[in-house]
Amino acid sequence: MKKFFAWFLCMGSLATYAQQQEVIISAKLDKSHNDTVVHLYEPYSGEVDSARIKDHKFSFKMPITKGGSVYIMQIGNRPELGGTLVYLEPGKMNITGKGAYFNDAAFTGDAWVKEWQEVMDITAPDKGDGKRLTELESKYHAAVQIGDEDAATKYVTEANVLEKKRNDMLLKWLKGHPNSGVAGYVLTVYFNRNKQTMDSLYQQLGEHAKASRILMRYKFPGKVDAPPMTIKADTGAVASGPLASLKVGDMAPAFSIPDVDGKMVSLSDFKGKYVFLDFWASWCGPCKAQVPFLKAANDKFKDKNFVMIGISLDSKKEGWVKGIAKHELSWLNLSSLKGWGESAAAAYGIGYLPSNVLIGPDGKVVARDLYDGKIEEKLDATIR
């Protein structure tokens, strides 16, 4: 009897543990269309579940075994109408609304549901400062497409002020919710530009926050989930396939890219030389700050078995050509005008701009991501 009782307790514990590892979602949208399929999927890993609307209701019971993460919930096949982002972890979420979709619906349930709604209110793209940021992004892209750098800079300057205001609000939220699983979303989406800042904020979080699937991916890349398969750029272009992981000592990938006149230029054309690849774009603000250092390095080494090549991730020739002229980039300039769809960017593992790669005469990578005075310093130490 004692053995049976112990076994019964053990089974009860396992049942409780299993229950704790799933999320239960109950939804009632008064005007939702019956028999419509609702999809719920984790965009990073591709895990997906589905439900069908009956009596204007639908529900999910999904295992959450790797910690909390952000999912897309989609009613039907029109994302602009029926899609919403939701943070999920083990527990309960209730959705109620008088319409057919999620706009104006109420999300209630466990504490993490409320926390997610708080962050969504701070970052909402359709009201207040968020709406203005959306407008500025649209104006910025329009300026980029016609090569109007002055207008683009103006929009970026205003956007930076609004982004700082928003990020200050998010920092205050993080301070008040150090153990929320939603903190992982805040860190990786809004503070990912500065690794030092991210690491500092990460250290201030509690164990539950750190155990989220989002932060486990951040801390242990490639261990929890495979890397994402696409990258979306500021220009709207998309690069398919994973970025290469190119290290110092690896052979530099071959490429063949048109110059401004349409002539194809290949890496093999410069066999036996030091080649400095500068990945940039006319719409890239930080790229401009590197121009004086690139000019100094090129002037000093261009006659010493060295060639500098700019590879632009522009998508419009007008903007690219204007950028070359405005900044007087005298070195060889190449671009397929595919934005982040440039295959060389993926081959060289370029996930941000500006970025650069120094290749030796033997075709192997000598250095990566040299900035400011480090460019000339490295070339001084390498080229004799």
Side-chain angles (χ1 to χ4, degrees), residues 280-296:
W280 71 292
S282 65
W283 44 260
C284 167
C287 296
K288 300 170 190 176
Q290 294 304 306
V291 170
F293 300 99
L294 294 171
K295 286 183 176 180

Side-chain angles (χ1 to χ4, degrees), residues 51-95:
R52 191 174 293 274
I53 297 176
K54 296 290 183 182
D55 298 324
H56 312 294
K57 301 175 183 178
F58 65 88
S59 62
F60 286 96
K61 184 181 287 188
M62 174 182 275
I64 305 284
T65 59
K66 294 184 179 181
S69 189
V70 175
Y71 291 71
I72 295 174
M73 193 180 298
Q74 172 69 46
I75 298 175
N77 57 6
R78 295 186 63 185
E80 72 277 12
L81 289 178
T84 188
L85 287 178
V86 288
Y87 170 83
L88 301 177
E89 64 178 57
K92 293 183 179 180
M93 171 186 280
N94 301 307
I95 307 171

Side-chain angles (χ1 to χ4, degrees), residues 116 134 168 254 269 283 310 320 350:
W116 176 250
T134 302
D168 286 344
D269 296 337
W283 44 260
W320 174 43
I350 307 302

Side-chain angles (χ1 to χ4, degrees), residues 296-316:
N298 188 57
D299 289 345
K300 185 172 182 177
F301 294 97
K302 62 184 179 182
D303 297 322
K304 297 183 179 180
N305 199 38
F306 171 86
V307 61
M308 181 174 289
I309 301 175
I311 299 180
S312 170
L313 272 60
D314 277 280
S315 57
K316 301 292 182 181

Side-chain angles (χ1 to χ4, degrees), residues 59-371:
S59 62
F60 286 96
K61 184 181 287 188
M62 174 182 275
I64 305 284
T65 59
K66 294 184 179 181
S69 189
V70 175
Y71 291 71
I72 295 174
M73 193 180 298
Q74 172 69 46
I75 298 175
N77 57 6
R78 295 186 63 185
E80 72 277 12
L81 289 178
T84 188
L85 287 178
V86 288
Y87 170 83
L88 301 177
E89 64 178 57
K92 293 183 179 180
M93 171 186 280
N94 301 307
I95 307 171
T96 55
K98 296 185 179 299
Y101 300 107
F102 297 115
N103 39 324
D104 299 326
F107 291 74
T108 58
D110 288 352
W112 48 265
V113 181
K114 180 175 182 290
E115 291 162 356
W116 176 250
Q117 293 308 303
E118 290 171 349
V119 169
M120 289 297 97
D121 285 342
I122 294 172
T123 60
D126 57 353
K127 59 184 179 181
D129 290 343
K131 184 176 181 180
R132 179 57 181 162
L133 275 170
T134 302
E135 293 170 352
L136 288 170
E137 181 182 10
S138 178
K139 290 182 177 181
Y140 168 79
H141 288 318
V144 164
Q145 288 183 349
I146 63 173
D148 189 345
E149 287 191 43
D150 293 334
T153 300
K154 173 188 172 183
Y155 299 138
V156 167
T157 300
E158 183 181 348
N160 286 341
V161 174
L162 295 178
E163 284 184 354
K164 184 182 185 305
K165 179 181 175 182
R166 178 201 64 202
N167 287 0
D168 286 344
M169 294 173 66
L170 289 173
L171 286 171
K172 183 178 179 180
W173 186 91
L174 282 171
K175 187 175 181 180
H177 302 80
N179 205 29
S180 169
V182 179
Y185 170 83
V186 175
L187 257 66
T188 55
V189 172
Y190 295 100
F191 297 96
N192 61 359
R193 297 178 184 175
N194 188 312
K195 189 176 186 303
Q196 186 175 358
T197 299
M198 270 196 70
D199 287 342
S200 175
L201 292 172
Y202 175 87
Q203 293 303 323
Q204 298 171 38
L205 298 179
E207 291 307 311
H208 178 73
K210 291 179 179 178
S212 73
R213 188 170 186 171
I214 303 168
L215 287 181
M216 291 292 284
R217 281 195 293 253
Y218 164 68
K219 204 64 181 175
F220 307 101
K223 302 294 184 182
V224 177
D225 292 309
M229 295 303 290
T230 61
I231 294 176
K232 193 173 188 302
D234 287 341
T235 57
V238 175
S240 299
L243 293 180
S245 179
L246 195 66
K247 304 181 295 297
V248 171
D250 289 348
M251 289 299 298
F255 62 75
S256 187
I257 307 171
D259 65 10
V260 174
D261 297 320
K263 178 184 176 183
M264 298 303 293
V265 177
S266 302
L267 177 62
S268 58
D269 296 337
F270 309 99
K271 186 176 181 180
K273 291 188 175 184
Y274 286 96
V275 179
F276 188 90
L277 301 180
D278 175 52
F279 290 87
W280 71 292
S282 65
W283 44 260
C284 167
C287 296
K288 300 170 190 176
Q290 294 304 306
V291 170
F293 300 99
L294 294 171
K295 286 183 176 180
N298 188 57
D299 289 345
K300 185 172 182 177
F301 294 97
K302 62 184 179 182
D303 297 322
K304 297 183 179 180
N305 199 38
F306 171 86
V307 61
M308 181 174 289
I309 301 175
I311 299 180
S312 170
L313 272 60
D314 277 280
S315 57
K316 301 292 182 181
K317 186 170 184 178
E318 183 181 5
W320 174 43
V321 173
K322 282 186 177 180
I324 294 171
K326 180 173 181 177
H327 300 293
E328 299 178 335
L329 308 183
S330 59
W331 45 86
L332 182 60
N333 284 281
L334 312 177
S335 181
S336 297
L337 298 176
K338 295 179 180 178
W340 282 93
E342 170 58 64
S343 59
Y348 280 83
I350 307 302
Y352 48 84
L353 297 179
S355 190
N356 53 64
V357 178
L358 176 61
I359 304 168
D362 58 358
K364 294 182 179 180
V365 175
V366 175
R368 292 198 59 154
D369 291 336
L370 302 169
Y371 299 108

